[in-house]
Amino acid sequence: MCINRQFYPSQLNDFIARIEWAEKGQGNRNPVAVVNGENGTDAIVIMAKAGQTISLDASASFDPDGDELTFKWWQQDGISQAKATVSNATSSTVKVDMPTTFANDEIYIICEVHDQSKYALPAYRRVIIKPTE
């Protein structure tokens, strides 16, 4: 099994929370990441022009247990040679400055949401930004 060190703490916490559910029949649940008003797990696709600034909003995200949330936005490595700039990356709303050139690339921005519970369970949402004329 290949373990990505970036996700290991979240995977371990999720596993421990599931054991607690199995033992007690209740426990912490993962938050729900809602980006630009879109609920669900499918990737969100946005068209953008080179040099454009786009807004992403996860403020409608919630935790079914009522726990406070923290946010982290980042560009997924290994997808594109082009690099976007995410401002205010630990806020529920961010601005993404597109590079001046990304004609044939797609940029993947990840919204990572954690609840502030005993295990800090995660939710992730992928935003795929495709170039447009």
Side-chain angles (χ1 to χ4, degrees), residues 7-36:
F7 297 106
Y8 181 74
S10 292
Q11 290 171 328
L12 180 61
N13 286 343
D14 190 69
F15 179 69
I16 292 168
R18 288 172 191 266
I19 289 172
E20 188 174 272
W21 267 97
E23 180 182 291
K24 299 177 183 176
Q26 63 183 10
N28 190 35
R29 295 171 287 177
N30 294 71
V32 177
V34 179
V35 175
N36 288 2

Side-chain angles (χ1 to χ4, degrees), residues 1-120:
M1 177 178 174
C2 179
I3 296 176
N4 184 323
R5 293 181 199 277
Q6 175 182 358
F7 297 106
Y8 181 74
S10 292
Q11 290 171 328
L12 180 61
N13 286 343
D14 190 69
F15 179 69
I16 292 168
R18 288 172 191 266
I19 289 172
E20 188 174 272
W21 267 97
E23 180 182 291
K24 299 177 183 176
Q26 63 183 10
N28 190 35
R29 295 171 287 177
N30 294 71
V32 177
V34 179
V35 175
N36 288 2
E38 293 191 36
N39 197 345
T41 57
D42 292 339
I44 297 166
V45 178
I46 296 175
M47 305 301 288
K49 294 180 180 180
Q52 181 179 353
T53 299
I54 61 169
S55 297
L56 299 174
D57 182 352
S59 62
S61 298
F62 63 94
D63 183 76
D65 304 310
D67 297 323
E68 294 290 320
L69 300 176
T70 61
F71 298 86
K72 180 179 176 186
W73 299 79
W74 44 276
Q75 182 175 348
Q76 187 174 357
D77 291 332
I79 304 299
S80 173
Q81 296 295 324
K83 298 295 178 206
T85 303
V86 179
S87 63
N88 215 12
T90 58
S91 174
S92 62
T93 58
V94 296
K95 301 279 187 198
V96 180
D97 294 322
M98 302 309 298
T100 55
T101 57
F102 80 113
N104 295 316
D105 263 334
E106 291 181 348
I107 293 176
Y108 287 22
I109 301 294
I110 307 299
C111 175
E112 181 177 341
V113 181
H114 285 266
D115 67 10
Q116 295 304 293
S117 67
K118 181 177 174 182
Y119 302 116

